[in-house]
Amino acid sequence: MAPRFAYNTNGVSNHRFEDALRLIADSGYDGVALTLDHHHFDPFAPDFERRTEQLAALLERLGLGLVVETGARFLLDPRSKHEPTLITPDAQGRERRLEFLKRAVDVCATCRGEAVSFWAGVPRP
């Protein structure tokens, strides 16, 4: 049987992060797609490495696989949804996006995840 991943977690989005993962596992899912964002798992919050290790341990205890999503709407810029991107004209903005993607890869690697999804962006006038 193919693994079942919880992609739409609207039913648990208002729960504490750890509770949401337990509920997903209790519902019979094999994995979760986690969007790194300020709501549940902020990749820029303090103690990134320690929190990532704790996440890896919890996912292992719960038997959940992981796919890391990078579609956080306002994580990098509170005024512009999904900005900056890899093709943003501003070099500092592109660097911030690259740092975010590197952290997403770090989370995925530490948690033995299956994939990191991202998109390059869209050209702006």
Side-chain angles (χ1 to χ4, degrees), residues 9 12-18 20 34-35 37-42 51:
T9 57
V12 294
S13 62
N14 292 315
H15 288 75
R16 287 182 187 90
F17 181 55
E18 293 81 7
L34 172 62
T35 300
D37 203 345
H38 56 86
H39 297 295
H40 284 118
F41 196 87
D42 185 343
R51 291 182 304 107

Side-chain angles (χ1 to χ4, degrees), residues 10-33:
N10 287 336
V12 294
S13 62
N14 292 315
H15 288 75
R16 287 182 187 90
F17 181 55
E18 293 81 7
D19 292 340
L21 292 175
R22 286 183 185 92
L23 290 168
I24 289 168
D26 290 347
S27 295
Y29 287 96
D30 298 309
V32 63

Side-chain angles (χ1 to χ4, degrees), residues 70 86 96-106 118:
T70 61
L86 294 174
R96 183 133 170 94
R97 173 60 65 170
L98 283 171
E99 179 60 28
F100 174 50
L101 294 175
K102 288 175 188 176
R103 287 173 181 248
V105 169
D106 289 344
F118 69 95

Side-chain angles (χ1 to χ4, degrees), residues 19-106:
D19 292 340
L21 292 175
R22 286 183 185 92
L23 290 168
I24 289 168
D26 290 347
S27 295
Y29 287 96
D30 298 309
V32 63
L34 172 62
T35 300
L36 302 182
D37 203 345
H38 56 86
H39 297 295
H40 284 118
F41 196 87
D42 185 343
F44 296 107
D47 296 326
F48 173 71
E49 292 84 11
R50 180 187 56 77
R51 291 182 304 107
T52 302
E53 291 288 343
Q54 290 174 335
L55 173 60
L58 179 58
L59 291 169
E60 186 170 332
R61 276 194 311 276
L62 296 173
L64 289 174
L66 179 69
V67 171
V68 177
E69 303 278 346
T70 61
R73 289 180 174 93
F74 294 100
L75 178 68
L76 301 178
D77 183 341
R79 291 180 175 85
S80 298
K81 183 167 79 172
H82 298 300
E83 289 290 331
T85 70
L86 294 174
I87 61 173
T88 294
D90 176 59
Q92 287 180 331
R94 291 191 309 272
E95 282 297 318
R96 183 133 170 94
R97 173 60 65 170
L98 283 171
E99 179 60 28
F100 174 50
L101 294 175
K102 288 175 188 176
R103 287 173 181 248
V105 169
D106 289 344

